[in-house]
Amino acid sequence: MASSLSTEEKIKAAAKQVFISKGFSGCTSRELAKASGMNVALVNYYFRSKNKLFQLIFQTVMEEFFESMVSVFSSDLPLKEKLKFLIEREYAFLSKHPEIPRFIINELSRKDTDLIELTHVLPVIYNTGVIEQAIEAQKKGEMRRVDMVGITLLVVSNCQYPFMAKPLIKNLHNLSDEQYNHHIELHKGMVSEMIIGYLFPTEIKNELK
Amino acid sequence: MASSLSTEEKIKAAAKQVFISKGFSGCTSRELAKASGMNVALVNYYFRSKNKLFQLIFQTVMEEFFESMVSVFSSDLPLKEKLKFLIEREYAFLSKHPEIPRFIINELSRKDTDLIELTHVLPVIYNTGVIEQAIEAQKKGEMRRVDMVGITLLVVSNCQYPFMAKPLIKNLHNLSDEQYNHHIELHKGMVSEMIIGYLFPTEIKNELK
DNA sequence: TATTGTTTTAAACAATTGTTTAAATTAAGT
DNA sequence: ACTTAATTTAAACAATTGTTTAAAACAATA
């Protein structure tokens, strides 16, 4: 067992799982405690309150969430390959952590949540030089003139949604877990081809939209 | 005011709003009551329990959710136009009800939720003849050989995600509400062009994947 | 071993939860 | 007007919530 971890780490690890799958308001202090084999008092001894524990975990999940993304942008690859690589990495990350996008989007949607500052993430990406890369490709007419928001939306929509909507699509099409996972794997290739095909049309047009 | 509505309708309408934006476990009986200007006892007088009220509302939201989709499939249009029209309708629906996809996906993800049967939706779509339309187009080599699950995923990912992830993307790119809504409107066109372009490539290949 | 400080426990706290009660009010039919 | 039924209210219910208390168990150091 993971009994080599300290009590504090055990609570944090268990709470992370519970929070991610049930959300802040979907679980109780006692559930968090029980999930780590501890009791309620112990959770508050180490983390002061359910809310403090949540904030801590939300922060780390957010970091994991953006980590792989930024690292891909920093890689030394031509733009088209970067994008393919990014999609590949996103699918790999989401296969391991399929519940994270839903968790993050939900908690960011809570009106009463302490707003988490994300604006530091974008500058990091900007500093990787990927933007200049894109602008140059667009000037050369190799790449469609889509801004950063549009590209972000294209990529994350097609990567994250299939994992988020698993229970919906599974139910709708009457699929088993294995069948759905197979569809996701298939979908990864389609998405990559579709997005690349859209952003980098083969027929070089002088005026790309 | 909406005081022309009966008490029962007032509670239902208010509860719908509250459930959609905060989820089942994100709100209390008293909050549901107060939102409709009533008290807790009244809510349970008409709906027996918070859970019963929720099931009722969830059912109707699901129906709204699929309604426009099915109606598009039933329309008398060529396949490509149907798809464009579907995307247009989805964006229109989601502009009015941006919180519904997140709500549905969340509640379907709750392990402890009473499983709602969706399998009746698919046969309805099948009966519109859209599947035969697609198979024929694929045989003629006009359409890429993507199955129903793939098509569903392509469309709903690119329609629903931008609305679901609004707080995430807004925060990430430091956008105002107006700016983001503008991006969504822009995105609609991109998505339509991209999906159509992918599913119906202009260069007729003999062997489409 | 005695004395620290740290960790863990069981029990309790007040507040809030979903739900019910029983009385009060209103409406409807005679 | 009287009776019955339907609606609305305020209050209460037991259970659960997040949090705290105070004592016990443990560890480290002298």
Side-chain angles (χ1 to χ4, degrees):
Chain A
M1 287 297 160
S3 51
S4 64
L5 294 169
S6 70
T7 301
E8 188 174 348
E9 290 302 322
K10 271 192 255 182
I11 294 173
K12 220 192 286 187
K16 187 173 162 188
Q17 274 316 108
V18 176
F19 275 141
I20 285 177
S21 76
K22 319 241 277 181
F24 178 80
S25 56
C27 68
T28 69
S29 312
R30 281 162 181 83
E31 189 178 352
L32 294 167
K34 189 163 281 182
S36 57
M38 308 296 156
N39 61 48
V40 242
L42 223 25
V43 173
N44 275 22
Y45 172 73
Y46 282 105
F47 301 97
R48 315 259 320 168
S49 75
K50 182 192 177 190
N51 197 52
K52 286 255 172 51
L53 173 56
F54 175 80
Q55 297 298 335
L56 187 76
I57 283 171
F58 188 71
Q59 189 70 37
T60 74
V61 172
M62 284 292 268
E63 277 156 25
E64 283 179 39
F65 185 63
F66 288 115
E67 189 181 66
S68 73
M69 207 161 80
V70 173
S71 75
V72 173
F73 282 132
S74 317
S75 67
D76 191 21
L77 286 170
L79 194 53
K80 207 189 281 191
E81 308 309 315
K82 260 187 198 177
L83 251 176
K84 283 187 198 169
F85 194 27
L86 171 62
I87 292 168
E88 197 75 36
R89 283 280 278 270
E90 269 294 282
Y91 268 84
F93 175 83
L94 293 164
S95 296
K96 275 191 191 168
H97 311 285
E99 294 180 315
I100 285 187
R102 189 170 50 83
F103 169 66
I104 288 182
I105 286 176
N106 276 332
E107 301 300 337
L108 283 182
S109 302
R110 284 203 355 246
K111 306 280 175 286
D112 53 324
T113 200
D114 297 2
L115 225 327
I116 275 110
E117 199 51 57
L118 296 181
T119 43
H120 69 283
V121 175
L122 207 56
V124 174
I125 293 179
Y126 272 83
N127 285 337
T128 63
V130 72
I131 312 289
E132 289 89 338
Q133 227 176 340
I135 291 175
E136 198 176 344
Q138 289 175 338
K139 272 188 185 159
K140 285 201 230 164
E142 295 166 1
M143 184 185 177
R144 205 179 284 261
R145 292 194 175 279
V146 177
D147 64 22
M148 200 53 188
V149 179
I151 295 174
T152 307
L153 272 178
L154 282 187
V155 173
V156 294
S157 295
N158 288 285
C159 291
Q160 290 173 23
Y161 187 90
F163 291 90
M164 297 174 65
K166 181 170 177 176
L168 174 63
I169 308 291
K170 259 189 64 176
N171 201 334
L172 187 61
H173 288 93
N174 236 99
L175 302 169
S176 69
D177 247 62
E178 294 71 34
Q179 287 175 316
Y180 191 74
N181 291 343
H182 178 65
H183 273 289
I184 283 202
E185 199 55 35
L186 257 174
H187 204 66
K188 180 176 69 176
M190 285 176 43
V191 161
S192 186
E193 196 180 342
M194 177 181 70
I195 293 179
I196 298 293
Y198 177 71
L199 290 179
F200 305 93
T202 43
E203 333 110 34
I204 314 286
K205 300 177 189 172
N206 283 343
E207 196 184 346
L208 278 176
K209 160 74 210 245
Chain B
M1 287 299 161
S3 50
S4 65
L5 293 170
S6 71
T7 301
E8 188 174 346
E9 289 302 322
K10 272 193 253 182
I11 295 173
K12 219 193 286 186
K16 187 174 165 188
Q17 275 315 109
V18 175
F19 275 141
I20 285 177
S21 76
K22 321 239 278 178
F24 178 78
S25 57
C27 68
T28 69
S29 312
R30 281 160 182 83
E31 188 177 353
L32 293 167
K34 188 162 282 181
S36 57
M38 308 295 156
N39 60 50
V40 241
L42 223 25
V43 173
N44 274 21
Y45 172 73
Y46 282 105
F47 301 98
R48 315 253 325 164
S49 74
K50 182 192 176 188
N51 196 52
K52 285 257 172 50
L53 174 55
F54 175 81
Q55 298 297 336
L56 187 76
I57 283 172
F58 188 71
Q59 189 69 36
T60 74
V61 172
M62 285 292 269
E63 276 157 24
E64 284 180 40
F65 185 64
F66 287 115
E67 187 181 66
S68 73
M69 208 162 80
V70 173
S71 74
V72 173
F73 282 131
S74 318
S75 67
D76 190 22
L77 285 169
L79 193 53
K80 208 190 279 191
E81 308 308 314
K82 258 186 198 176
L83 251 176
K84 283 186 198 171
F85 194 26
L86 171 62
I87 292 168
E88 197 74 36
R89 282 282 277 270
E90 269 295 280
Y91 268 84
F93 174 82
L94 292 164
S95 296
K96 275 191 191 169
H97 312 286
E99 297 180 313
I100 285 187
R102 188 170 51 83
F103 169 67
I104 288 182
I105 286 175
N106 276 334
E107 300 301 338
L108 283 182
S109 303
R110 286 209 345 250
K111 305 281 176 283
D112 52 323
T113 202
D114 296 2
L115 224 328
I116 275 111
E117 199 50 59
L118 296 181
T119 43
H120 70 282
V121 175
L122 207 57
V124 174
I125 292 178
Y126 273 83
N127 285 338
T128 62
V130 72
I131 312 289
E132 288 88 339
Q133 230 176 339
I135 290 173
E136 197 176 342
Q138 288 174 340
K139 272 190 185 158
K140 285 201 228 163
E142 295 166 358
M143 184 185 178
R144 205 179 284 260
R145 292 196 175 275
V146 177
D147 65 22
M148 201 53 188
V149 179
I151 295 174
T152 306
L153 272 178
L154 282 187
V155 173
V156 294
S157 295
N158 288 285
C159 292
Q160 291 173 22
Y161 186 90
F163 291 90
M164 297 174 66
K166 181 170 177 175
L168 174 63
I169 308 291
K170 258 189 66 176
N171 202 334
L172 187 61
H173 288 91
N174 234 99
L175 302 170
S176 69
D177 247 62
E178 294 74 32
Q179 286 175 317
Y180 190 74
N181 291 343
H182 178 65
H183 274 289
I184 284 203
E185 199 54 35
L186 257 172
H187 203 67
K188 181 176 67 177
M190 285 175 44
V191 161
S192 186
E193 197 180 340
M194 177 180 72
I195 292 180
I196 298 293
Y198 176 73
L199 290 179
F200 305 92
T202 44
E203 332 110 34
I204 315 285
K205 298 177 188 171
N206 283 342
E207 196 184 345
L208 278 176
K209 158 71 214 246

